Amino acid sequence: RTPSNGGDPIHASSPRYAPDGDKIAVIDWDTDDLWVVDASSGASYKVTNIGDVYGYCWSPGGAHFVFSTWDEKLKRVPSEGGSPRDITPD
């Protein structure tokens, strides 16, 4: 199923399964934000709200994402959503 943005489907790209296989993360092609979709129910939620996600991966336990931004910084965000934290030194 395609995640929705307030009822409208998003343009999902770069799907990746969570380590436990229960969820799938995707990037919204239009906004460059990260979304998570429940693989069974299709329920979805937005993880980031910065519009700058590029090249991401789940942490081994599935609790976080690590991703790069277009300006080549590494960030970390909880898989339930929240404020991304820089992990690249200035």
Side-chain angles (χ1 to χ4, degrees):
R1 293 184 176 169
T2 302
S4 64
N5 182 8
D8 297 326
I10 68 164
H11 296 103
S13 66
S14 306
R16 295 192 175 98
Y17 272 99
D20 63 8
D22 289 342
K23 297 176 182 168
I24 304 166
V26 296
I27 295 177
D28 180 349
W29 184 268
D30 292 329
T31 66
D32 292 331
D33 279 312
L34 190 59
W35 286 72
V36 170
V37 182
D38 184 278
S40 300
S41 71
S44 61
Y45 61 90
K46 195 173 189 178
V47 177
T48 63
N49 209 14
I50 62 171
D52 199 19
V53 176
Y54 176 75
Y56 69 96
C57 65
W58 291 87
S59 65
H64 294 91
F65 289 102
V66 173
F67 63 92
S68 58
T69 60
W70 289 104
D71 59 355
E72 299 179 356
K73 291 186 178 184
L74 287 176
K75 294 188 179 268
R76 174 181 162 183
V77 66
S79 59
E80 288 82 29
S83 297
R85 198 176 84 203
D86 286 345
I87 57 176
T88 302
D90 289 336

